[in-house]
Amino acid sequence: SLSVNEALEKQLEKGPAVLCGSAGMGKTTALLHSLISKSRSYSPLQVATIYVSLFDYNGSGENFIKNRILEDLKFDKSIQYMEDARNSLIKIFNETVKTERSEKVRFLLLIDGLNEAGGDTQPLIKEILSLSEMKGVCVIITSRNRPEKLPFDFLEIVPLDEKDIRSILSSNSLIYPESPEMQEILRTPLLLSAFCKAATSKEKQLQCSTAGELL
């Protein structure tokens, strides 16, 4: 198995992918971590990372992602209409980085939360498929379930194992819980984080044995 960052790096050469995992497995955190780490420096030969959340998509049409990207950009006087801006973005997204040995994508487009998109998602799927076909873009999209309408590679965030959990608890001076239910619960990164924060706030070892007690 690979870390998410390692998997995303390898995926740049392979093409679009869906990153799956149940609630609390850290899909959004992984994308934001990748965005921050890749945005610390930039050169024309490096991949530029773009993050778009689908949290407030609600049947918003097939330009939602492009419009969100354009919100953060500024334009010269030659671009006066939104359609012109979209056409310029599409042109850039079809350009690759050419080196002596290879031709690489210029952009890593991280699209977060397909399962959170509301309303009619057909236009959204159409836009995602269109973006994935552009030569200069590698699309990574997160979802709780594997979407049948996106014929992309499949990556899955697996639950933490006991070694990982013990290591994180030890770094917080905490003891691995005796309850089998809690041991299973802590395999989810979000709940493991909640466990550590709760113990830190109380400044003592937690004795909870169920998710309800933890919450």
Side-chain angles (χ1 to χ4, degrees):
S1 62
L2 301 172
S3 71
V4 175
N5 274 349
E6 290 171 335
L8 294 184
E9 284 295 328
K10 286 183 174 293
Q11 204 61 38
L12 287 172
E13 300 176 2
K14 298 178 181 179
V18 178
L19 179 64
C20 287
S22 57
M25 287 303 298
K27 300 182 295 297
T28 296
T29 300
L31 292 196
L32 292 176
H33 184 272
S34 177
L35 174 68
I36 292 169
S37 64
K38 290 180 180 297
S39 300
R40 287 176 180 149
S41 62
Y42 176 73
S43 81
L45 297 179
Q46 289 180 322
V47 173
T49 305
I50 303 170
Y51 173 88
V52 175
S53 172
L54 299 179
F55 178 75
D56 56 350
Y57 180 92
N58 189 22
S60 309
E62 60 185 65
N63 288 313
F64 178 85
I65 296 170
K66 292 188 288 292
N67 288 348
R68 276 299 163 87
I69 295 170
L70 292 170
E71 285 179 1
D72 295 323
L73 302 180
K74 293 185 178 181
F75 308 92
D76 60 28
K77 294 180 180 179
S78 66
I79 304 295
Q80 297 187 14
Y81 300 97
M82 199 63 172
E83 188 61 30
D84 295 334
R86 282 194 288 266
N87 289 336
S88 294
L89 185 65
I90 291 170
K91 181 179 179 181
I92 293 172
F93 276 178
N94 274 299
E95 296 175 357
T96 58
V97 175
K98 297 179 180 179
T99 65
E100 293 181 359
R101 297 183 179 180
S102 63
E103 190 173 354
K104 301 179 180 180
V105 298
R106 295 185 65 186
F107 301 94
L108 173 60
L109 178 54
L110 306 175
I111 304 173
D112 191 23
L114 181 61
N115 56 280
E116 296 179 339
D120 181 9
T121 59
Q122 284 296 109
L124 176 63
I125 296 295
K126 183 178 178 180
E127 183 180 21
I128 292 171
L129 289 170
S130 174
L131 289 167
S132 72
E133 293 171 354
M134 296 179 185
K135 296 186 297 182
V137 179
C138 178
V139 173
I140 305 292
I141 184 164
T142 67
S143 178
R144 289 185 185 176
N145 304 303
R146 188 172 185 172
E148 296 179 359
K149 296 179 181 179
L150 293 178
F152 296 170
D153 289 349
F154 178 65
L155 305 173
E156 184 177 11
I157 299 181
V158 298
L160 299 170
D161 60 25
E162 182 178 332
K163 181 180 177 181
D164 294 327
I165 297 169
R166 285 185 180 276
S167 176
I168 293 169
L169 291 177
S170 177
S171 68
N172 287 274
S173 302
L174 297 173
I175 297 173
Y176 189 65
E178 293 181 318
S179 163
E181 182 175 343
M182 281 304 300
Q183 293 172 7
E184 183 63 28
I185 287 168
L186 297 189
R187 297 186 70 198
T188 300
L190 181 64
L191 294 177
L192 176 58
S193 176
F195 183 89
C196 292
K197 289 179 180 178
T200 300
S201 67
K202 288 182 175 294
E203 298 183 343
K204 65 178 183 180
Q205 301 293 329
L206 293 187
Q207 299 298 324
C208 54
S209 58
T210 67
E213 291 176 14
L214 172 60
L215 295 174

